[in-house]
Amino acid sequence: MPCVYSISITGETVTSSISGSKYPVFCEDDLLIKGGPFQNKIPYESIRRVAPTSDKLTGYRISAADKGLELFYQRDVHGSIKILPKDKMQFISELKKRCANVQLPPNQTFE
């Protein structure tokens, strides 16, 4: 099974609609980050932590959104990427299922 474009939450299918310049797609072994003609596969076991960000420079271009997420992962060069999931809590919930060791800021709410 290559990639999942929708995820199932409590028995109902919820389309993973993501806005912004970079959006994630949950695959079997990797998180696929797509932005325009670029894409990046990040193995779940390499994802270390997720933190909120308000940086306007998100992905490959300036973002109109003021709140996104930054994923930190183990890699030789530049081990972080900023994404803009439409539903951050849904994204975090699915990521925790696939990446049990991911660190989240304590008492952090992702709006």
Side-chain angles (χ1 to χ4, degrees), residues 10-68:
T10 63
E12 58 183 279
T13 301
V14 179
T15 303
S16 181
S17 60
I18 307 298
S19 64
S21 59
K22 291 233 175 221
Y23 64 93
V25 176
F26 289 101
C27 298
E28 188 172 347
D29 297 320
D30 306 295
L31 182 66
L32 178 63
I33 308 295
K34 299 176 90 174
F38 305 100
Q39 64 181 22
N40 188 8
K41 279 188 174 182
I42 303 172
Y44 293 121
E45 66 270 5
S46 73
I47 299 174
R48 299 295 177 232
R49 70 183 166 102
V50 178
T53 182
S54 58
D55 192 353
K56 292 289 186 188
L57 184 59
T58 302
Y60 300 113
R61 62 183 178 188
I62 302 294
S63 170
D66 59 352
K67 294 181 183 179

Side-chain angles (χ1 to χ4, degrees), residues 73-85:
Y73 58 100
Q74 190 172 15
R75 187 171 177 177
D76 294 338
V77 179
H78 192 66
S80 78
I81 192 165
K82 296 175 187 110
I83 60 172
L84 296 167

